[in-house]
Amino acid sequence: MTRQPDHPTSPARRNLFRLATAGAMSTAAAVAVSGSAWARPGVPASPSGTPFVEKDTLVVNVLDHGATGDGSTDDTQALQAALDAGRGRTVYIPPGVYLVSTMLSVFSGTTVLATATSVVRRTDGPSILGNGVLGDMTATKFDGESNIVIQGGVWDVNARNVARNANAFSFSHGRNIRVYDVRVLDVQGWHAMELNAVETVRVANSRFEGFSDPAGNRQYSEAVHMDYAGGAGHFTLFGAPDFYGCKDIEVIGCYSGPSADFPSYPRLVGSHGGPDGHQHTGLRVISNYADQCSEWAIRLYDWLDGVVEGNQIADGGGGIQIGPAGVQTGGNIVVRGNTLRKLTGVQEADGRPPDAAICIGRLNNSRTHRLTVTGNIVEDVDMEGIAVYRTDGAVVSANVVEDCAGVGIRVNDAPRAVVTSNSIRRTGREGVVVHAGSNGALVSGNLTEDTGAYGMSITNAVEDVVVRDNILLGSGTADGTVAALRVSNNANRVTLAGNTVRRRDSGAHAEYGISITSTCTGTWYTGNDLRDSGATAAVSDQGSDSSTDPAGLS
C-alpha cells in the first residue's frame, strides 16, 4: 500500500514531531536515525537493514529486547518484554515481520510506534494487542490501563493461516486511547478493533481490510465494534463484567474494504446495546469510507448523543441503521451529509422486505427521540431510501433520494416529524409516506418526480398532518396508481395547501391529483395548483366533512 504524506497538522506528524523534539532535548542521541546505532555489537539490525530508532530514556526499541522481525521467529516474548519495559514511554517497532502467538499487553502511558512496513502477524491467540492481561478480570468502569497511543504498523490477524476467531486490538475498561494510521489485515470472525467499556477513544486514518467468516455465522461483525462489559456472550478476555458501556468515541477518516484474500467486513462501525442505566453516550462516526460492506455499514445500537457525518457507503448491503436496544430510548442523533449508493439491502426479519438505506428505530419497539437526518444522498438502492420509525420529533430535510426500489422517505409512528426540502426522484413506490402514529407531522417544500406509486401518501389513522407547498411531478409511473396526493385509511384532519401537482406527458399517470377516501374525516384542501394533475380528474373526494374554503375548517 502506498501511503500519502501526512498533512503537516495531522496527529501522525504532530506525534512524530513531539517524539523527535523530546528526544533531541534528552542527553541521549535522541529519536533520530543513527548510522552507528544499528551496528552496535549484540543489537540486531532490522531485517531490511533500515536503521532503527536510537535507544534512550524515552524510547524502547523492541530489537533491544530480542525481537528479530525476521518473519519466522516467534517474537511474542521479546515484544512483551519491550512493552513491559516501555510503560510510560514509547515502544518502537522497526520495519520487519514480527510473529506473535498470544495477545500482547500494553500498559498505561505507553505509545506504540510502528512504521508502514512494520508487520505484527498473529499465529495464534484471541487478539494481537490489548490494554489488559488475558484472564485478569479486576479492571472495572473506565479504570483499567489508560492513556495509550497506537500509531502505525500493519497488524495482520492472519485468517489465511490461523483458523480461530480473533481481534486485532482489544480495549476494555480504560480511557484516553488513541489509534492512528494502522492497517489491519484479514480478521476472522471478530473485529479489527473491540471497544468494550472504554471512554474517550479516537480511531483515525486507519484501514481495515479483509474479513473471513468460514462458519457463516458472523455476518454482523464490525471492523470497529463497541460493546458493554456484559461477560459471557460479550467480551471475556479481561476486565470485570460490570455492564459499563462506551463513552466519547470517535471513528474518523477510516476505510473498510476487501483485502487481497478476503471480502470486506459486514459492517464498518457498529455496537451492541446495554442494560438500563449503562447506555453508550457520545459517538462520532465521521468521514469514513465503507466499501462493499455486506450488512449495515454503520449500525448504532443504543446510543445517546451521536453524529454520523460525511461517510461514504458504496457497493454493499445496507447503509446506516440507528435504534435503541429495547430497554432504554436512544436519541440526540444527527445523520448528516452522508452518501449511499448501489446498495442491495438487508433483510432484518423473515417475510419483511429490506429496510431503508438510512433506517431509524426499526430494531425493536423502543423509541428514539430528537433526530435529524439532513443533507444525505441516497442513490441506486434496492430498498427504501430513508425510513424513520418510532421516533419523536424527527427532522428529515434537504436529502436527495434517487432511483430507489421502494418508498423515497417514510415516517411511521413518528409524531411531529418534519419532512422538508427533500428531492425525491424515480422511486419504485411512493415518494413520501406518513404512516400510523405520525400525528402532527409537517410535509413541506419537497419535490417528488416520477414516483412509481403516489407522490405522497398520508395514511393509517394519522391525524393533524399538514402537507403544503410541495411539488409533485409525474406520480404513478407504475400502472394503477389512484392519485398523486393520497389521503386514506382513517387519516383525519389533514391539511393539503399550496401544493403543485402535474401529471407526466406520456405513459402511466395517476388518475387524480388529490384523492381522499371514504374513511377520512375533516380534510382541508385549498390553494393547490391541480392544473393537468390527474388523468381522470383533479380531485376525488369521498371523505366526510371535507372543506375547500380558504378560511379553513372550524
Side-chain angles (χ1 to χ4, degrees):
M1 179 182 74
T2 301
R3 230 185 101 185
Q4 297 298 318
D6 289 313
H7 189 277
T9 61
S10 70
R13 293 288 294 275
R14 289 198 302 268
N15 284 354
L16 287 173
F17 176 77
R18 282 196 293 267
L19 191 60
T21 303
M25 294 173 64
S26 71
T27 57
V31 189
V33 173
S34 168
S36 61
W38 56 272
R40 285 177 297 163
V43 179
S46 67
S48 65
T50 304
F52 53 75
V53 171
E54 177 67 80
K55 177 183 178 182
D56 70 356
T57 58
L58 296 178
V59 178
V60 174
N61 192 318
V62 299
L63 300 183
D64 291 336
H65 289 266
T68 66
D70 62 8
S72 59
T73 302
D74 187 338
D75 284 323
T76 306
Q77 290 186 357
L79 292 174
Q80 189 58 61
L83 291 166
D84 291 343
R87 298 177 194 229
R89 296 193 282 170
T90 293
V91 175
Y92 174 61
I93 305 176
V97 178
Y98 302 84
L99 304 186
V100 296
S101 55
T102 191
M103 189 187 83
L104 301 169
S105 298
V106 60
F107 303 101
S108 292
T110 303
T111 293
V112 178
L113 178 64
T115 76
T117 56
S118 305
V119 180
V120 182
R121 179 169 295 152
R122 166 181 166 264
T123 61
D124 202 356
S127 185
I128 297 178
L129 183 72
N131 70 323
V133 177
L134 282 176
D136 181 353
M137 314 306 286
T138 57
T140 63
K141 302 179 181 179
F142 304 132
D143 297 333
E145 303 295 336
S146 301
N147 303 311
I148 292 167
V149 176
I150 311 296
Q151 184 168 343
V154 179
W155 304 81
D156 185 1
V157 185
N158 199 14
R160 301 175 306 280
N161 300 303
V162 184
R164 177 182 176 183
N165 292 351
N167 300 322
F169 299 101
S170 299
F171 299 119
S172 182
H173 290 300
R175 52 165 53 93
N176 193 26
I177 297 170
R178 305 288 193 268
V179 181
Y180 301 132
D181 304 318
V182 304
R183 184 184 181 201
V184 176
L185 292 178
D186 298 340
V187 165
Q188 178 171 307
W190 290 357
H191 315 286
M193 194 170 304
E194 169 96 20
L195 304 178
N196 181 275
V198 289
E199 178 184 41
T200 309
V201 175
R202 304 290 181 268
V203 182
N205 305 323
S206 295
R207 295 180 65 88
F208 311 116
E209 303 171 32
F211 178 80
S212 173
D213 181 19
N217 60 1
R218 297 289 300 181
Q219 65 274 13
Y220 51 83
S221 277
E222 302 90 354
V224 180
H225 172 65
M226 294 154 287
D227 204 349
Y228 71 102
H234 293 267
F235 185 79
T236 59
L237 301 186
F238 52 88
D242 57 6
F243 297 98
Y244 258 64
C246 293
K247 180 179 181 181
D248 183 20
I249 309 296
E250 183 172 88
V251 181
I252 183 168
C254 294
Y255 169 85
S256 176
S259 69
D261 297 305
F262 296 104
S264 183
Y265 287 81
R267 301 175 185 167
L268 168 58
V269 175
S271 58
H272 287 173
D276 197 12
H278 294 275
Q279 192 168 28
H280 303 306
T281 58
L283 173 69
R284 297 167 301 285
V285 182
I286 300 174
S287 300
N288 302 286
Y289 184 36
D291 183 16
Q292 303 175 50
C293 290
S294 56
E295 228 253 3
W296 296 103
I298 298 172
R299 190 188 196 202
L300 308 188
Y301 197 59
D302 198 20
W303 280 89
L304 184 65
D305 303 330
V307 176
V308 180
E309 180 174 11
N311 300 284
Q312 301 172 61
I313 301 170
D315 298 305
I320 299 168
Q321 188 185 62
I322 295 171
V327 239
Q328 51 205 353
T329 61
N332 306 346
I333 305 292
V334 176
V335 181
R336 177 173 56 211
N338 303 282
T339 62
L340 304 89
R341 61 180 176 82
K342 294 187 178 179
L343 304 178
T344 58
V346 176
Q347 188 171 12
E348 285 283 352
D350 291 341
R352 191 170 88 188
D355 288 344
I358 299 176
C359 189
I360 315 296
R362 203 177 185 188
L363 294 174
N364 48 53
N365 292 323
S366 292
R367 302 195 67 80
T368 303
H369 56 265
R370 293 187 295 276
L371 165 82
T372 298
V373 181
T374 186
N376 303 283
I377 297 174
V378 179
E379 175 193 7
D380 191 14
V381 297
D382 296 337
M383 53 189 145
E384 296 187 349
I386 299 171
V388 178
Y389 291 83
R390 288 180 283 275
T391 298
D392 304 305
V395 176
V396 182
S397 67
N399 301 285
V400 176
V401 179
E402 295 187 359
D403 300 303
C404 68
V407 173
I409 296 175
R410 177 191 296 275
V411 292
N412 188 311
D413 195 8
R416 302 176 305 284
V418 176
V419 180
T420 183
S421 304
N422 300 284
S423 176
I424 304 160
R425 305 177 66 221
R426 296 185 300 276
T427 61
R429 297 297 303 164
E430 294 88 339
V432 176
V433 172
V434 179
H435 204 264
S438 302
N439 299 334
L442 171 64
V443 182
S444 173
N446 303 282
L447 169 67
T448 71
E449 183 176 0
D450 292 341
T451 57
Y454 315 123
M456 295 183 179
S457 174
I458 316 303
T459 187
N460 282 64
V462 293
E463 297 181 345
D464 302 316
V465 174
V466 175
V467 181
R468 65 182 312 136
D469 300 326
N470 301 284
I471 300 174
L472 296 83
L473 306 176
S475 304
T477 59
D479 293 338
T481 297
V482 175
L485 186 49
R486 171 87 157 169
V487 181
S488 64
N489 294 336
N490 297 293
N492 298 319
R493 297 194 303 274
V494 174
T495 296
L496 312 174
N499 300 287
T500 298
V501 183
R502 297 285 187 271
R503 67 177 184 175
R504 299 170 71 229
D505 293 332
S506 61
H509 303 289
E511 292 185 39
Y512 303 99
I514 294 175
S515 172
I516 303 164
T517 67
S518 60
T519 59
C520 300
T521 302
T523 305
W524 177 41
Y525 54 102
T526 186
N528 299 288
D529 183 350
L530 302 177
R531 292 172 291 178
D532 198 24
S533 60
T536 300
V539 177
S540 172
D541 183 0
Q542 305 300 318
S544 58
D545 298 326
S546 299
S547 175
T548 60
D549 187 339
L553 290 158
S554 60

